[in-house]
Amino acid sequence: MGKAHSNAYCQAPHFFDLPFTIKRRLLCGRDTASLAGMAQRWGWEETSTDWRSAIARSDIDAVDICLPNHLHAPVAIAAADAGKIVFCEKPLALSVADARKMADAAHRVQTLVWFNYRRVPAVAYARQLIDEGRLGTIFHYNATYKQQWGSDTSRAGTWKMDPSQAGSGVGDDLLTHLLDTALYLNGPITETVAKARVIAPNRAVDDAVMALVVFANGSAGTFEATRFGIGCKNRKTFEIHGSGGMLRFNLEDLNHLEFLDFSNPSSEQGVRDLLVTDMKHPIFGNFWRPGHIIGYEHTFITALAQFLQCLSKGEEFHPNFADGLAVQEVFDAVQRSAKTRQWTTVVRA
Amino acid sequence: MGKAHSNAYCQAPHFFDLPFTIKRRLLCGRDTASLAGMAQRWGWEETSTDWRSAIARSDIDAVDICLPNHLHAPVAIAAADAGKIVFCEKPLALSVADARKMADAAHRVQTLVWFNYRRVPAVAYARQLIDEGRLGTIFHYNATYKQQWGSDTSRAGTWKMDPSQAGSGVGDDLLTHLLDTALYLNGPITETVAKARVIAPNRAVDDAVMALVVFANGSAGTFEATRFGIGCKNRKTFEIHGSGGMLRFNLEDLNHLEFLDFSNPSSEQGVRDLLVTDMKHPIFGNFWRPGHIIGYEHTFITALAQFLQCLSKGEEFHPNFADGLAVQEVFDAVQRSAKTRQWTTVVRA
Amino acid sequence: MGKAHSNAYCQAPHFFDLPFTIKRRLLCGRDTASLAGMAQRWGWEETSTDWRSAIARSDIDAVDICLPNHLHAPVAIAAADAGKIVFCEKPLALSVADARKMADAAHRVQTLVWFNYRRVPAVAYARQLIDEGRLGTIFHYNATYKQQWGSDTSRAGTWKMDPSQAGSGVGDDLLTHLLDTALYLNGPITETVAKARVIAPNRAVDDAVMALVVFANGSAGTFEATRFGIGCKNRKTFEIHGSGGMLRFNLEDLNHLEFLDFSNPSSEQGVRDLLVTDMKHPIFGNFWRPGHIIGYEHTFITALAQFLQCLSKGEEFHPNFADGLAVQEVFDAVQRSAKTRQWTTVVRA
Amino acid sequence: MGKAHSNAYCQAPHFFDLPFTIKRRLLCGRDTASLAGMAQRWGWEETSTDWRSAIARSDIDAVDICLPNHLHAPVAIAAADAGKIVFCEKPLALSVADARKMADAAHRVQTLVWFNYRRVPAVAYARQLIDEGRLGTIFHYNATYKQQWGSDTSRAGTWKMDPSQAGSGVGDDLLTHLLDTALYLNGPITETVAKARVIAPNRAVDDAVMALVVFANGSAGTFEATRFGIGCKNRKTFEIHGSGGMLRFNLEDLNHLEFLDFSNPSSEQGVRDLLVTDMKHPIFGNFWRPGHIIGYEHTFITALAQFLQCLSKGEEFHPNFADGLAVQEVFDAVQRSAKTRQWTTVVRA
């Protein structure tokens, strides 16, 4: 992820009018050699293997945490305590308790959680259509995140397969993305019943999780995240049905949003394939001309740029640590349900 | 449904070499005038409003039941007791107990349940690919059936909205179709947790049902049926991920089957859009030349023709009443789970 | 084609309220055995190998010509001279001169040419949208018809490969379909430049033809028909761009019409996938409920039914022999251009 | 285009191991204020309004020409004469004669023409499949480039609408892109017949051009470029049919390549939707993980990086000025044909 973040720091000023100057001051990590290579490639001024002294520096305003999940809490809390702006990779923490502590520690500083997919123009436009009432009363919200690499046993050794570092498997990694998007588009989730499965032999973390969820707005839906979705490289989807129409999205085609307007005459209703690259669509106009598509990295660039714009105006940026905590609360209910096999209420921490 | 069935009786001999001659002997119903019109249009020799006397006739070999769900059991049992071949619309019955009685009553006669979608060439071909091992070990089986007419309150008055005739709403109507296809393609379901919802005000039957299910083969999945799937006219889908690949299907495009072969080199893996209209595909060759697509009605024609071929050879036809009962058993677990809010085991009757 | 026509005679009364009763009186052909089988299967009352005596019979009102192309003219003219209603397979004739004679001979009788694809609901709906002005001024009209069986040398021996019977190859067979649809949707074609190619070794008829065309309404476009369109089973498409929007169609997915409404706000413009199975769409309501798709054969059923409805009302049916002649005129210009390598004006016969 | 080029200079070292260091030394233009803004945003060290003195500087190794088309020749020739590496926007020149002079002037220096779409991973992979013989003998090559902004009369005043600066309209702008891709994938074009049209009132340059073309390898096809392709933002496509299969591509979905392998059993043949984001696909692995898509700008980054890699190894880069000249030769035949209305041979300059 360091590559995607570094790229955002380089590129944000190229495509957005930023109220601040970004300096790539210090790159921290464990391995000196790889730090040097990374710094060289991406223009980091210095490197260090000691994050604690980095946080103590007065010439650093913001700390960006790209670490295995179990390290998010201690580093974020230390950074926030030092008065730094804190950016943190998702999921925010390994537990609701940790996430609560992080949100508390950060109450005086501005924060960002890298649920970067809110910044896909098509996702932002989906939110806009919902906010405008175009979908009416929401009935159904379905979400999937399917990858296939779980079946590749050669990848067993990464920290993502170690519960002490990753928490869970696909749950922390992919389901939290689904939950953040759902909370963003459809509001709070109140209860869930879920099932998690380890599919690969001898694997310590879950490979697949599925859940039924109920939203505070009365809608309900199915969620599924898997690393055994053979045939899917990075297929994150949502499908929303409301009294006013339908929306569908697939991250592998992130420049598209499918929209059906149920207020059209019945003979003219059809799923509309919107290529969300118009100057009137959110975000896209910062990049290229209509039809000249963007990709994965632009979500990070945009999140960073919009954070800085919020910071400058004194507005709250989302998703921040409070939003990261909200995801954690739902995910906690999912995990409890997977253990108890019961419908489980989402508890606000 | 009488239209689709009548059409099958007319058309089966045109496209299949049948071992029997079909005579459209007697059409039963409640309304004399509409019976007359229907008989005239579809070439039924006689009409009657008394199904009991019809069943007693010695010149009738088979009885086809297109009635509201609550009448399936009494008519089917009477017909079977009279030694008739019995065809019955889905779902087989309003309860497992009734379905069990029907299957018992029919133990001496050949039966057919109109889960017609098994006869979509693409579905039959999916089954063939699975039988050949092309999908390997199945990990995920997802299914949806989405229609949108539930939001049209002008349609409130039909028998499908009356629990005493229909049993449930979308559960009996659409979910049972999903279950039959799932049992056909992926084998027995062992347990489920489900949620049913009435969405329209003052409606007596459920509009939407969703479930998590576990299969005997170790795979698991999400199921959802709704009449509030705004944007979907008749969207019945499945998506299956196995160690060998992926299959996807959508009834609104029933001539297509999407297939990903995970044994291809990774650079050549892609979702293959198979137009299941080749002479080597199942069923299709009975109709037209490659690329000259077929539709909804052909599933009924094919089910009937294949039933007659089985009958002639003394082979068991599927789906028969035993298969209809198996669907009912799973559906019963879904309904119990929706009430108790518990994971619920499927019980064999 | 006899199968598709016979089916239409059986099915039209089942789905349409017809003003006439259809009797399958007499089936003519060359081979007594296959005639008997066909008559048995499709309920033809009699068979004959002598079409001339058939035409002389007073108990026959209509003659349907499913013969190799070179026989269309003599049989149609004889039938028309005998006062029969005449249906004729496409293309109408091997030459403009013959087509002209046929149209002249038929001036006192009602005629039909089996350009059946006008009766795809999606195509009829495209015409309706154009008639309503929804596409505005047409700029571009592109059409392709791609099949792949030309590369299968085992199929060399059919009459379709014999110029004396078929006229040309893909030109007569597929390009004429494109031309009829284009004339139907976009009006007269004024000039063309074309190229025809024989691709298979030792083949006597063309395998591929492509053309640039100019329409009387000022629009222009590309046309291409091929039997070497590897990957395409029966892919007949059109794509139309006008000041008001876009339409796209593909015969392999004939229940769909793609429509872009350029009057929508730019952020809401997208290609709309219309599933043309609504009760308010043309034709479809005669068959099944929304989303329950139809296929190839329904175009023949509908053409026949609408012909009979026109006949009853004294209205002109289209496409009739005059329409078939109009196609022939454009096709003649294409063929002349392919020979002379010049832009060639379409001449009205 | 300055934005896309500047971005390439910034980003190439981030994603590729480059044998050279890129310095953004000097930015030339006409307007001092906008030069300052651009230099500030993209990190250009200096600015100037005098390109001639820039070319004279010894601390500049390469000149990149992003100017209206009529200025390509004088600047490129001056730069090449000064021994600079020359990059030039497409089309290379306003005439074959100018292009010839440019190629001649550049015979001692390395050159690049910004036909950037060769560097779409899906396009490079298409070329690889063709080179490997997977498509066999090519029968058909069809190409379209459709944009819709021509109908927006508010955009009349740009240099692209002025023949003295742009040469032609859509021909120079979009058709040349089609030609370069065709030459890259399918080899030389030998002759063509074409038609160009001005659609907007009072417009001095063509809005639409279409052509039939014949390739040296015996295949043939249709080409069409338009700014009145209502419904299409930036839809550049190719469709290739060969004895071994089919390929299809659409620039608006540039991470996809559609592939049909005709060597599969007929029942398993289907258009395969390859998401060209695998580590084994060309180019993509330099950017992100599978399924994390890229966009428009990555084609410029890659072209630049691969140019530098070629330069370092002493290998010829393509497309260079000779390739740009080859495009010009075909385009010249298209333009002559559009005037003379004759089939026109492509002449090598």
Side-chain angles (χ1 to χ4, degrees):
Chain A
M1 297 308 300
K3 185 176 172 184
H5 289 218
S6 291
N7 185 67
Y9 294 116
C10 291
Q11 292 287 74
H14 292 154
F15 295 100
F16 290 83
D17 293 321
L18 298 184
F20 299 99
T21 301
I22 297 172
K23 296 194 178 170
R24 300 187 285 286
R25 189 73 89 199
L26 178 64
L27 184 71
C28 288
R30 280 176 298 190
D31 180 60
T32 313
S34 70
L35 277 174
M38 187 87 179
Q40 158 84 10
R41 185 175 292 267
W42 291 98
W44 291 93
E45 298 173 8
E46 301 172 42
T47 63
S48 164
T49 55
D50 176 12
W51 64 265
R52 290 186 192 276
S53 65
I55 283 175
R57 284 170 60 156
S58 63
D59 64 340
I60 286 178
D61 299 314
V63 171
D64 185 1
I65 303 168
C66 284
L67 290 164
N69 301 343
H70 69 301
L71 298 174
H72 291 183
V75 180
I77 290 168
D81 285 348
K84 307 300 184 196
I85 293 166
V86 192
F87 302 160
C88 188
E89 258 303 326
K90 42 59 58 178
L92 189 56
L94 289 196
S95 68
V96 170
D98 276 359
R100 177 77 268 172
K101 280 181 212 158
M102 293 165 78
D104 288 345
H107 75 283
R108 286 171 305 114
V109 299
Q110 289 274 19
T111 55
L112 171 156
V113 182
W114 288 108
F115 284 119
N116 55 303
Y117 294 135
R118 290 195 186 194
R119 262 67 196 189
V120 172
V123 175
Y125 187 54
R127 168 69 185 261
Q128 178 184 320
L129 288 168
I130 292 168
D131 284 351
E132 292 170 2
R134 298 292 293 276
L135 249 62
T137 304
I138 307 300
F139 303 133
H140 297 285
Y141 185 101
N142 300 109
T144 68
Y145 203 147
K146 297 188 177 181
Q147 295 183 343
Q148 65 187 0
W149 60 271
S151 67
D152 177 358
T153 50
S154 70
R155 296 180 64 175
T158 70
W159 69 261
K160 288 198 171 187
M161 295 308 188
D162 174 4
S164 68
Q165 296 183 73
S168 70
V170 75
D172 273 277
D173 191 18
L174 303 188
L175 181 63
T176 55
H177 264 309
L178 293 186
L179 294 177
D180 181 66
T181 304
L183 298 177
Y184 175 57
L185 293 178
N186 201 36
I189 291 171
T190 54
E191 62 171 355
T192 183
V193 63
K195 180 176 177 66
R197 287 189 295 153
V198 178
I199 297 176
N202 306 316
R203 187 158 291 171
V205 295
D206 52 274
D207 290 313
V209 59
M210 57 184 184
L212 307 181
V213 304
V214 177
F215 288 83
N217 66 6
S219 63
T222 57
F223 281 63
E224 184 163 33
T226 178
R227 289 170 174 164
F228 274 74
I230 305 302
C232 302
K233 288 188 169 71
N234 192 37
R235 192 171 182 84
K236 176 183 184 286
T237 73
F238 59 76
E239 177 163 295
I240 313 174
H241 303 276
S243 59
M246 175 174 70
L247 287 173
R248 275 206 296 241
F249 173 77
N250 167 15
L251 185 63
E252 289 176 343
D253 289 307
L254 64 79
N255 293 275
H256 294 263
L257 179 69
E258 293 189 319
F259 172 47
L260 182 135
D261 187 340
F262 203 50
S263 72
N264 286 146
S266 66
S267 59
E268 297 185 25
Q269 287 168 13
V271 180
R272 226 180 279 183
D273 178 11
L274 303 177
L275 190 61
V276 187
T277 62
D278 190 75
M279 296 300 115
K280 292 191 178 157
H281 286 132
I283 298 167
F284 185 81
N286 282 86
F287 294 105
W288 307 108
R289 302 287 311 159
H292 294 69
I293 68 170
I294 59 172
Y296 164 69
E297 71 217 57
H298 300 77
T299 58
F300 292 92
I301 298 168
T302 305
L304 176 64
Q306 294 188 344
F307 175 88
L308 295 175
Q309 289 166 346
C310 285
L311 184 65
S312 158
K313 295 184 200 156
E315 293 173 1
E316 193 122 32
F317 175 82
H318 297 282
N320 57 22
F321 278 16
D323 300 304
L325 170 60
V327 168
Q328 216 74 40
E329 290 161 352
V330 183
F331 182 48
D332 180 66
V334 167
Q335 287 185 300
R336 283 183 288 130
S337 174
K339 276 186 199 142
T340 63
R341 293 170 53 89
Q342 300 295 321
W343 276 95
T344 302
T345 300
V346 176
V347 181
R348 304 307 305 258
Chain B
M1 297 308 302
K3 184 176 173 183
H5 290 218
S6 291
N7 184 68
Y9 294 116
C10 290
Q11 292 288 74
H14 291 153
F15 295 100
F16 289 83
D17 293 320
L18 297 183
F20 299 99
T21 302
I22 296 170
K23 298 196 176 169
R24 299 185 287 284
R25 189 72 89 201
L26 177 65
L27 183 70
C28 287
R30 279 176 298 189
D31 179 59
T32 313
S34 71
L35 276 174
M38 187 87 180
Q40 159 82 12
R41 184 175 292 267
W42 291 98
W44 291 93
E45 296 173 11
E46 302 171 43
T47 64
S48 164
T49 56
D50 176 13
W51 64 266
R52 290 185 190 277
S53 64
I55 282 175
R57 284 172 58 159
S58 63
D59 64 341
I60 286 179
D61 299 314
V63 171
D64 184 2
I65 302 168
C66 285
L67 290 164
N69 301 343
H70 70 300
L71 298 174
H72 290 183
V75 180
I77 290 167
D81 285 348
K84 305 301 184 197
I85 291 165
V86 193
F87 301 159
C88 187
E89 257 303 325
K90 43 61 53 180
L92 189 56
L94 290 196
S95 67
V96 171
D98 275 0
R100 176 77 269 171
K101 280 182 210 154
M102 293 166 78
D104 288 346
H107 74 283
R108 287 172 304 113
V109 300
Q110 290 274 20
T111 55
L112 170 157
V113 183
W114 288 108
F115 284 118
N116 54 304
Y117 295 135
R118 290 196 187 193
R119 263 67 196 189
V120 173
V123 176
Y125 187 54
R127 168 69 185 260
Q128 179 184 319
L129 288 169
I130 292 168
D131 284 351
E132 292 170 1
R134 297 294 291 276
L135 249 62
T137 304
I138 307 299
F139 303 132
H140 297 285
Y141 185 101
N142 301 110
T144 69
Y145 202 147
K146 297 187 176 182
Q147 295 182 343
Q148 65 186 0
W149 61 269
S151 67
D152 176 358
T153 52
S154 72
R155 296 179 63 173
T158 70
W159 68 261
K160 288 198 171 187
M161 295 306 187
D162 174 3
S164 69
Q165 297 183 74
S168 69
V170 75
D172 273 276
D173 192 18
L174 302 188
L175 181 64
T176 54
H177 264 308
L178 293 186
L179 295 177
D180 181 67
T181 304
L183 297 177
Y184 176 57
L185 294 178
N186 200 36
I189 291 171
T190 55
E191 62 171 355
T192 183
V193 64
K195 180 177 178 64
R197 288 188 294 152
V198 178
I199 297 176
N202 306 317
R203 189 158 289 170
V205 295
D206 52 276
D207 290 313
V209 59
M210 58 184 183
L212 307 180
V213 305
V214 176
F215 288 84
N217 66 7
S219 64
T222 58
F223 281 63
E224 184 163 34
T226 178
R227 288 168 174 166
F228 274 73
I230 305 303
C232 303
K233 289 188 166 72
N234 191 36
R235 191 172 183 86
K236 176 182 183 288
T237 72
F238 60 75
E239 176 163 295
I240 313 175
H241 303 276
S243 58
M246 176 176 69
L247 287 173
R248 278 206 295 243
F249 173 77
N250 167 14
L251 185 62
E252 289 175 344
D253 289 308
L254 64 80
N255 294 275
H256 294 264
L257 178 68
E258 293 188 317
F259 172 47
L260 182 135
D261 187 340
F262 203 50
S263 71
N264 287 146
S266 67
S267 59
E268 297 185 24
Q269 287 168 14
V271 180
R272 226 179 280 184
D273 178 11
L274 303 177
L275 191 60
V276 187
T277 62
D278 190 75
M279 294 301 114
K280 293 192 178 156
H281 285 132
I283 298 167
F284 185 81
N286 282 84
F287 294 104
W288 307 107
R289 302 289 309 159
H292 294 70
I293 68 170
I294 61 172
Y296 165 69
E297 71 217 57
H298 299 78
T299 57
F300 292 93
I301 298 168
T302 305
L304 176 64
Q306 295 188 344
F307 176 88
L308 294 176
Q309 288 166 346
C310 284
L311 185 65
S312 157
K313 295 182 201 158
E315 295 173 0
E316 194 122 28
F317 175 83
H318 298 281
N320 58 21
F321 278 15
D323 299 305
L325 170 59
V327 168
Q328 217 73 41
E329 290 161 352
V330 183
F331 182 48
D332 181 65
V334 167
Q335 288 186 300
R336 284 184 287 129
S337 174
K339 275 186 201 144
T340 63
R341 292 168 54 87
Q342 300 295 320
W343 276 95
T344 302
T345 300
V346 176
V347 180
R348 303 308 305 258
Chain C
M1 296 308 302
K3 184 176 173 184
H5 290 218
S6 292
N7 184 68
Y9 295 115
C10 291
Q11 291 288 75
H14 291 153
F15 296 100
F16 290 83
D17 293 320
L18 298 183
F20 300 100
T21 301
I22 296 171
K23 298 196 175 168
R24 299 186 287 285
R25 189 71 90 200
L26 177 64
L27 183 71
C28 286
R30 279 176 299 190
D31 179 60
T32 313
S34 70
L35 276 174
M38 186 88 180
Q40 159 83 10
R41 184 174 292 266
W42 291 97
W44 291 93
E45 297 174 8
E46 301 172 42
T47 64
S48 164
T49 56
D50 176 13
W51 64 265
R52 289 186 191 278
S53 65
I55 283 175
R57 284 172 58 159
S58 63
D59 64 341
I60 286 178
D61 299 315
V63 171
D64 184 2
I65 302 168
C66 285
L67 290 164
N69 300 345
H70 69 300
L71 298 174
H72 290 183
V75 180
I77 291 167
D81 285 348
K84 306 301 184 198
I85 291 165
V86 193
F87 302 161
C88 187
E89 256 303 326
K90 44 59 56 178
L92 189 55
L94 289 196
S95 68
V96 171
D98 276 0
R100 176 78 268 169
K101 280 182 211 156
M102 293 165 79
D104 288 345
H107 76 281
R108 287 172 305 113
V109 300
Q110 290 275 20
T111 55
L112 170 157
V113 183
W114 288 107
F115 284 118
N116 54 305
Y117 295 136
R118 290 195 186 194
R119 262 66 196 188
V120 173
V123 175
Y125 187 53
R127 169 68 185 261
Q128 178 184 321
L129 288 169
I130 292 168
D131 284 351
E132 291 169 3
R134 298 293 292 275
L135 247 62
T137 304
I138 307 298
F139 303 132
H140 297 284
Y141 185 101
N142 300 110
T144 68
Y145 202 147
K146 297 187 177 182
Q147 296 182 343
Q148 66 186 359
W149 62 269
S151 67
D152 176 0
T153 51
S154 72
R155 295 179 63 173
T158 70
W159 68 261
K160 288 198 171 188
M161 295 305 187
D162 173 4
S164 69
Q165 297 183 73
S168 69
V170 76
D172 274 274
D173 192 18
L174 303 188
L175 181 63
T176 55
H177 264 308
L178 293 186
L179 295 176
D180 181 67
T181 304
L183 298 177
Y184 176 57
L185 294 178
N186 200 35
I189 290 170
T190 56
E191 62 171 356
T192 183
V193 64
K195 179 174 178 67
R197 288 189 294 152
V198 178
I199 296 176
N202 307 318
R203 188 158 289 169
V205 295
D206 52 275
D207 290 311
V209 59
M210 59 184 184
L212 307 181
V213 305
V214 176
F215 288 83
N217 66 7
S219 64
T222 57
F223 280 64
E224 185 163 32
T226 178
R227 289 169 175 166
F228 274 73
I230 305 303
C232 302
K233 289 188 168 73
N234 192 36
R235 192 172 183 85
K236 177 182 183 287
T237 72
F238 59 75
E239 176 163 297
I240 313 174
H241 303 276
S243 58
M246 175 175 71
L247 287 173
R248 275 205 297 240
F249 173 77
N250 168 14
L251 185 62
E252 290 176 343
D253 289 308
L254 64 79
N255 294 275
H256 294 263
L257 179 68
E258 293 188 319
F259 172 47
L260 182 136
D261 187 340
F262 202 51
S263 72
N264 287 146
S266 67
S267 58
E268 296 185 25
Q269 287 168 15
V271 180
R272 226 180 280 183
D273 178 11
L274 302 177
L275 190 60
V276 187
T277 62
D278 190 73
M279 296 300 114
K280 292 193 179 156
H281 286 132
I283 298 167
F284 185 81
N286 282 85
F287 295 104
W288 307 107
R289 303 287 310 159
H292 293 70
I293 68 169
I294 60 172
Y296 165 70
E297 71 217 57
H298 299 78
T299 57
F300 292 92
I301 298 169
T302 304
L304 176 64
Q306 294 189 343
F307 176 88
L308 295 175
Q309 288 166 346
C310 285
L311 185 65
S312 158
K313 295 182 200 158
E315 294 173 2
E316 193 121 31
F317 174 83
H318 298 282
N320 58 20
F321 279 15
D323 300 304
L325 171 58
V327 168
Q328 216 73 41
E329 290 161 351
V330 183
F331 182 49
D332 181 67
V334 167
Q335 288 186 299
R336 283 184 288 129
S337 174
K339 275 185 200 143
T340 64
R341 293 169 52 88
Q342 300 295 319
W343 276 95
T344 302
T345 301
V346 175
V347 181
R348 305 305 306 258
Chain D
M1 297 306 302
K3 184 177 173 183
H5 289 217
S6 292
N7 185 69
Y9 294 116
C10 291
Q11 292 288 73
H14 292 154
F15 296 100
F16 290 83
D17 292 321
L18 298 184
F20 299 99
T21 302
I22 297 171
K23 297 194 176 170
R24 300 187 285 286
R25 189 73 90 200
L26 176 65
L27 183 70
C28 288
R30 281 175 299 189
D31 180 59
T32 313
S34 70
L35 275 175
M38 187 87 180
Q40 159 84 11
R41 185 175 291 268
W42 291 97
W44 291 94
E45 298 174 9
E46 303 171 42
T47 64
S48 164
T49 56
D50 177 13
W51 64 266
R52 289 185 193 277
S53 65
I55 283 176
R57 284 171 59 158
S58 62
D59 63 340
I60 286 178
D61 300 315
V63 171
D64 184 2
I65 303 168
C66 284
L67 291 163
N69 301 343
H70 69 300
L71 298 174
H72 291 182
V75 180
I77 291 168
D81 285 348
K84 307 300 185 198
I85 292 166
V86 193
F87 302 161
C88 187
E89 257 302 326
K90 41 60 56 179
L92 188 56
L94 289 196
S95 68
V96 170
D98 276 0
R100 177 76 268 171
K101 280 181 211 156
M102 293 166 78
D104 288 346
H107 75 282
R108 286 172 305 111
V109 300
Q110 291 275 19
T111 56
L112 171 157
V113 183
W114 288 107
F115 285 117
N116 55 303
Y117 295 135
R118 289 195 187 194
R119 263 66 195 190
V120 173
V123 175
Y125 188 54
R127 168 70 185 260
Q128 178 184 321
L129 289 168
I130 291 168
D131 283 351
E132 291 169 1
R134 298 292 292 275
L135 249 62
T137 304
I138 307 299
F139 303 133
H140 297 285
Y141 185 100
N142 300 111
T144 67
Y145 203 149
K146 296 186 177 183
Q147 295 182 343
Q148 65 187 0
W149 62 270
S151 67
D152 176 357
T153 51
S154 71
R155 295 180 62 174
T158 70
W159 68 262
K160 288 198 171 187
M161 296 304 188
D162 174 3
S164 69
Q165 296 183 73
S168 69
V170 76
D172 273 276
D173 191 18
L174 302 188
L175 181 63
T176 54
H177 264 308
L178 294 185
L179 295 176
D180 181 67
T181 304
L183 298 177
Y184 175 57
L185 294 178
N186 200 35
I189 291 171
T190 54
E191 61 171 356
T192 183
V193 64
K195 180 175 176 67
R197 288 188 295 152
V198 178
I199 297 176
N202 307 317
R203 187 158 292 170
V205 295
D206 52 275
D207 290 312
V209 59
M210 58 185 184
L212 307 180
V213 304
V214 177
F215 288 84
N217 66 7
S219 64
T222 58
F223 282 63
E224 185 163 33
T226 178
R227 289 170 173 164
F228 275 74
I230 305 302
C232 302
K233 289 188 168 72
N234 192 36
R235 192 173 183 84
K236 176 182 184 288
T237 73
F238 60 76
E239 176 163 296
I240 312 174
H241 303 276
S243 58
M246 175 175 70
L247 287 173
R248 275 204 298 241
F249 173 76
N250 168 14
L251 185 63
E252 289 176 344
D253 289 308
L254 64 81
N255 294 276
H256 294 264
L257 179 68
E258 293 188 318
F259 173 46
L260 182 136
D261 186 340
F262 203 50
S263 72
N264 287 146
S266 67
S267 59
E268 297 184 25
Q269 287 168 15
V271 180
R272 226 180 279 184
D273 178 11
L274 303 178
L275 190 60
V276 187
T277 62
D278 189 73
M279 295 301 113
K280 293 192 179 155
H281 285 132
I283 299 168
F284 185 81
N286 282 85
F287 295 105
W288 308 108
R289 302 287 311 160
H292 294 70
I293 68 170
I294 59 172
Y296 165 69
E297 71 217 58
H298 299 78
T299 58
F300 292 93
I301 298 169
T302 304
L304 176 64
Q306 295 189 341
F307 176 89
L308 294 176
Q309 289 166 346
C310 285
L311 184 65
S312 157
K313 295 183 200 157
E315 294 173 1
E316 193 123 30
F317 175 83
H318 298 282
N320 56 22
F321 279 15
D323 300 304
L325 170 59
V327 168
Q328 216 73 39
E329 290 161 351
V330 183
F331 181 48
D332 181 66
V334 167
Q335 287 186 300
R336 284 183 288 131
S337 174
K339 276 186 198 143
T340 63
R341 292 170 53 89
Q342 300 295 321
W343 276 94
T344 302
T345 301
V346 175
V347 180
R348 304 308 303 259

